[in-house]
Amino acid sequence: MPGLSTEQQIALIYQQESRRILATLIRLLGDFELAEEALQEAFSAAVTQWRSDGIPEQPRAWLISTGRFKAIDKLRRDQRFRELLPTLADLTDEAAAPNARAIEDDQLRLIFTCCHPALAEPARIALTLREVCGMTTEQIAQAFLQPTSTLAQRIVRAKKKIRQAKIPFEIPETTQMTERLDALLQVIYLVFNEGYFCSSGDALINGKLMDEALRLARQLVRDVQHTEAQGLLALLLFQHARHRARLAANGRLLTLEEQNRELWDPAQIHEADTLLREILPRADIGRFTLQAAIAGLHADAKSFAQTDWREILAFYDLLLERHPSPVVALNRAVVVSKLSGPQAAIELIEELNCSQTLSDYRFFHVFHADLLRQLGDTAAAEQSYRRALTLTPQDSERTYLHEQLNELLTSN
């Protein structure tokens, strides 16, 4: 890393490698909190030692070995942790200096551990975001619009459950794979979505979080032969390919129609298309593959006007049949509006929300406002935009909605 100071290089290694190193330490030490302390101790030692000795040839292996020895020293000194000593893995050469593939496998094991069905779904998601993706508890709390203390307790309880239930730190056997894999795919999808469309804060996009989700999806496809894992990877590639075109120079959110398609990443679109062609004919495709097919039709259209809305509607019909949900039905209504006009779509979504299922879902109110605006019902459209604003904590999105509202009011 020429041109960088030792401290800057250590900071870069921490940013790029810390979650993988943590996964190996968790396997070796058998305890989340102890592994987290060991990680911090190892990097603190690196700051002191590497400044004088230089950065070792294999910094990850050095950090893992140092962290492990620091933890063992702590266990020997601290009565609270002595009961963990007998459970430590043997210090083999592989444990002292694991190779890159071993570290990647450890991270996959950690993901499966965090997604164990013995943990409640909210706990799985929060724990994975914290331990695998490195989000702070405060960031996770903001993403889920919950108090930090609530999320912190959820994460602590999940770790305690893993320890008390002796949930194994392993990639499950084939017979146990399906249930665990479904949870894992959902978590990776949610991680990507939080990066693609941040739920709060100044920035609309968190590129680091998107990249991490994409890396995890690639790793999963490499190690686990599963159609939906490939479908998820294709979906994330299609979405990631568009992210540079989603914001204007001033940070304003751009709709799909407004985006400059020359900024889309053709290599990622080609990779996703190749994946999709391979898996679409299979009988076991699920919701991520079907969503990838929809995203692919958007990505392959030369312009917004050339979008194949009828083919997209056919995939939404299939998705709604196999995996019904109010959000899928709402997205399908968007497509109906393109084919049959705003009145047909507004009848669909008002019927969809007759039980108020989507009354707190901001995208329902945004779409409702857009349809009402097209129909010339300014007062009702204004009401829906204002309702969406009350449900939107994300600054960039709020700016967009204020613009739409101001345009609505000034044009009448």
Side-chain angles (χ1 to χ4, degrees), residues 2-296:
L4 297 179
S5 68
T6 299
E7 288 78 7
Q8 289 172 325
Q9 292 182 66
I10 293 173
L12 186 60
I13 291 170
Y14 184 89
Q15 180 183 6
Q16 295 175 342
E17 307 289 354
S18 61
R19 309 325 294 178
R20 305 178 204 183
I21 294 170
L22 176 65
T24 297
L25 288 172
I26 291 172
R27 173 174 63 81
L28 295 173
L29 301 173
D31 184 89
F32 279 83
E33 284 78 9
L34 185 61
E36 288 166 356
E37 290 182 28
L39 179 71
Q40 299 305 320
E41 290 278 351
F43 273 96
S44 295
V47 171
T48 301
Q49 190 165 332
W50 294 0
R51 187 182 290 126
S52 57
D53 297 349
I55 295 177
E57 185 176 341
Q58 297 184 25
R60 288 193 300 191
W62 189 98
L63 288 160
I64 290 168
S65 180
T66 300
R68 179 179 168 79
F69 282 120
K70 294 281 186 184
I72 291 173
D73 287 343
K74 180 178 181 61
L75 291 175
R76 288 172 176 155
R77 293 193 312 268
D78 196 332
Q79 180 62 43
R80 291 179 305 144
F81 293 113
R82 283 183 185 168
E83 66 272 16
L84 289 175
L85 268 171
T87 69
L88 288 179
D90 293 333
L91 188 58
T92 62
D93 290 340
E94 181 183 356
N99 59 42
R101 178 57 188 267
I103 293 173
E104 296 293 338
D105 288 346
D106 280 338
Q107 191 170 37
L108 194 58
R109 292 186 188 101
L110 176 58
I111 299 169
F112 274 109
T113 299
C114 292
C115 292
H116 195 281
L119 303 176
E121 183 175 328
R124 297 178 203 168
I125 296 170
L127 186 61
T128 306
L129 290 172
R130 178 71 185 87
E131 302 302 331
V132 179
C133 300
M135 289 178 65
T136 67
T137 305
E138 291 76 13
Q139 288 174 322
I140 301 169
Q142 289 177 1
F144 287 92
L145 304 181
Q146 293 184 350
T148 300
S149 59
T150 301
L151 261 296
Q153 291 169 7
R154 182 174 293 165
I155 292 169
V156 168
R157 285 195 298 269
K159 292 177 181 177
K160 185 178 180 181
K161 175 80 171 182
I162 289 172
R163 184 172 61 249
Q164 291 180 339
K166 293 183 170 55
I167 293 174
F169 191 80
E170 65 183 11
I171 298 173
E173 297 295 330
T174 303
T175 54
Q176 302 172 317
M177 179 68 76
T178 300
E179 186 175 12
R180 300 272 283 277
L181 192 59
D182 287 346
L184 189 152
L185 293 173
Q186 177 69 4
V187 166
I188 294 177
Y189 177 69
L190 290 171
V191 170
F192 184 88
N193 275 359
E194 179 58 28
Y196 187 78
F197 210 126
C198 296
S199 55
S200 60
D202 297 333
L204 179 72
I205 296 172
N206 182 332
K208 181 181 176 182
L209 211 53
M210 280 197 302
D211 290 344
E212 179 68 6
L214 191 56
R215 187 185 65 78
L216 292 173
R218 286 189 188 281
Q219 181 183 335
L220 187 63
V221 167
R222 184 198 69 194
D223 291 344
V224 178
Q225 297 301 313
H226 191 277
T227 296
E228 274 301 271
Q230 293 175 285
L232 176 63
L233 177 57
L235 173 60
L236 301 194
L237 285 166
F238 279 131
Q239 299 292 71
H240 194 277
R242 295 196 296 109
H243 81 276
R244 289 192 301 121
R246 294 178 60 230
L247 296 179
N250 62 359
R252 176 184 174 274
L253 175 65
L254 297 176
T255 65
L256 189 61
E257 186 173 4
E258 296 172 315
Q259 290 174 21
N260 178 1
R261 299 187 178 217
E262 292 184 0
L263 296 177
W264 293 3
D265 187 329
Q268 288 190 332
I269 292 172
H270 175 73
E271 182 183 357
D273 276 330
T274 302
L275 268 172
L276 200 56
R277 282 195 297 270
E278 176 187 342
I279 62 177
L280 262 183
R282 298 178 188 173
D284 59 340
I285 61 172
R287 57 178 174 155
F288 294 120
T289 302
L290 292 172
Q291 288 180 70
I294 293 167

